[in-house]
Amino acid sequence: MEHIKIAIQKSGRLNEGSLRILKEAGIAIENGQNQLKAEVKNFPAEILFLRNSDIPQYVEDGVVDLAILGENVVFEKQCDIVIVEKLGFSRCRLSLAIPKSIQYGNSDYFQGKKIATSYPNSLSHFLKERGIQSELHSISGSVEIAPNIGLADGICDLVSSGSTLFQNGLKEVEVIYRSEACLVRNKQLNNYKDALFEKLLFRIRAVLKARMNKYILLNAPNEKIEQISAILPGMKSPTVLPLAIEGWSSLHSVIQENDFWSIIDQLKESGAEGILVVPIEKMVV
Ligand code: PRT
């Protein structure tokens, strides 16, 4: 039977999150990642462990059918592949940074300046759009030391917490784009692989949806049910079950992670008691 080939990063920042989302989508990987390939027990798929930066080309060439990788690499490599879904982990941004002590007005600052980067395509595109001509130095690692050793006036690199910039006396002055892990696919999968892909995508979306939502249970006096139901958005309307104590009910619903704290406060103010909020494993709507 034909298998769908899924690439994930062999080791590094994306590896753990990629394995986790596949596992939650029911993809049980057989042998460890010390090898290049792993079998999947319960789905017609094969996992390939590759370098994040090599993955876009493999997907474009059809060596692998789909992959989990950083959007930044997709943008930088400019391969002809499809980003299907953002996965919500390994968030970062590609930014321009300059020494802290330098006054910065706008991106015209970079006119005629030297910039060190591992992202020459993304940076060139950004500069071209603004009509800025700079001298680009493509280096593959430790970009942040370039200004300190006199190699460049500024850098263009990935930033997440900002502590690397801080430690090197740099400040972030422009965000070129934001990035997170994403699911990509080859443009031309055959019908069989396309059906497998849709099956997997359905599962991944259920996992993502569940991560964004919480299941909430609470107790309330019956006369407050209407008021509390109006606060709980839910999938349809909350489930209301009578409690053993006369005049009280238990309400069950689903809330979005982002609304969590504001809703909790409103619920307490409306007379809700014994509020429990629990994670949801999968969510199919
Ligand atoms: O070797 P391979 O090709 O597999 O990958 P890689 O060398 O790009 O690996 P890795 O694991 O470093 O990064 C993989 C992906 O993680 C990147 O392509 C991004 O999509 C994502 N990611 C998220 C990051 C960061 N956050 C990040 N902070 N990648 C790199 N960084 C580096 C950045 O380059 C800088 O050196 O971390 C430093 C800055 O971090 P802060 O927290 O100090 O701001």
Side-chain angles (χ1 to χ4, degrees):
M1 194 181 19
E2 207 180 357
H3 281 41
I4 194 161
K5 295 194 178 94
I6 307 171
I8 63 167
Q9 192 190 25
K10 181 165 172 55
S11 60
R13 289 183 163 86
L14 290 158
N15 174 266
E16 202 186 315
S18 307
L19 286 171
R20 189 180 324 127
I21 203 159
L22 288 176
K23 188 174 174 204
E24 288 175 17
I27 303 292
I29 298 175
E30 280 238 307
N31 34 11
Q33 73 206 71
N34 291 329
Q35 303 160 35
L36 179 67
K37 278 189 205 170
E39 299 296 323
V40 175
K41 269 188 260 173
N42 51 359
F43 197 84
E46 190 173 69
I47 309 292
L48 283 98
F49 299 100
L50 301 171
R51 288 194 62 165
N52 183 41
S53 44
D54 293 337
I55 293 177
Q57 194 63 52
Y58 284 126
V59 177
E60 185 181 286
D61 295 345
V63 175
V64 296
D65 302 307
L66 49 135
I68 296 176
L69 75 171
E71 281 178 295
N72 50 302
V73 184
V74 183
F75 300 150
E76 179 60 22
K77 300 285 176 185
Q78 301 176 342
C79 287
D80 197 15
I81 59 178
V82 191
I83 297 183
V84 184
E85 194 71 54
K86 295 180 187 237
L87 302 176
F89 62 92
S90 288
R91 288 205 165 95
C92 58
R93 51 202 186 269
L94 183 70
S95 294
L96 279 158
I98 60 169
K100 257 198 305 243
S101 54
I102 292 178
Q103 281 246 328
Y104 183 81
N106 58 42
S107 53
D108 289 339
Y109 165 83
F110 290 100
Q111 198 69 257
K113 296 279 196 303
K114 289 184 201 159
I115 312 173
T117 188
S118 317
Y119 286 80
N121 293 332
S122 305
L123 177 57
S124 299
H125 183 256
F126 174 87
L127 296 172
K128 199 171 163 204
E129 267 191 338
R130 285 161 183 75
I132 300 167
Q133 294 202 325
S134 311
E135 201 181 302
L136 267 53
H137 288 260
S138 287
I139 50 178
S140 57
S142 303
V143 173
E144 59 283 348
I145 60 164
N148 289 327
I149 58 170
L151 178 67
D153 303 297
I155 66 158
C156 167
D157 196 13
L158 297 176
V159 181
S160 47
S161 68
S163 71
T164 303
L165 294 183
F166 182 78
Q167 281 161 15
N168 287 280
L170 300 170
K171 62 179 176 189
E172 191 175 359
V173 291
E174 298 284 344
V175 175
I176 295 181
Y177 52 66
R178 290 178 191 278
S179 168
E180 62 189 82
C182 63
L183 177 72
V184 299
R185 58 165 281 176
N186 174 275
K187 275 194 154 171
Q188 282 150 348
L189 298 182
N190 63 33
N191 288 348
Y192 172 75
K193 285 188 171 180
D194 194 47
L196 286 178
F197 170 74
E198 287 300 331
K199 207 168 169 180
L200 184 64
L201 181 61
F202 172 80
R203 293 186 187 187
I204 286 178
R205 286 189 169 146
V207 171
L208 293 174
K209 190 115 198 148
R211 283 184 185 174
M212 280 162 23
N213 290 278
K214 300 270 181 247
Y215 192 73
I216 182 166
L217 307 92
L218 59 90
N219 297 331
N222 288 346
E223 65 274 15
K224 298 282 186 180
I225 291 175
E226 210 173 312
Q227 190 183 341
I228 290 176
S229 299
I231 304 167
L232 293 170
M235 287 164 80
K236 280 209 173 76
S237 69
T239 306
V240 182
L241 302 166
L243 287 186
I245 309 167
E246 188 71 27
W248 279 75
S249 294
S250 170
L251 274 72
H252 298 195
S253 191
V254 171
I255 57 169
Q256 286 207 350
E257 171 91 64
N258 293 346
D259 298 338
F260 181 76
W261 289 111
S262 66
I263 286 191
I264 297 297
D265 289 341
Q266 289 177 55
L267 292 172
K268 283 200 317 208
E269 282 159 23
S270 306
E273 290 181 13
I275 303 170
L276 279 181
V277 178
V278 291
I280 299 170
E281 198 165 305
K282 308 281 186 300
M283 193 163 154
V284 179
V285 287

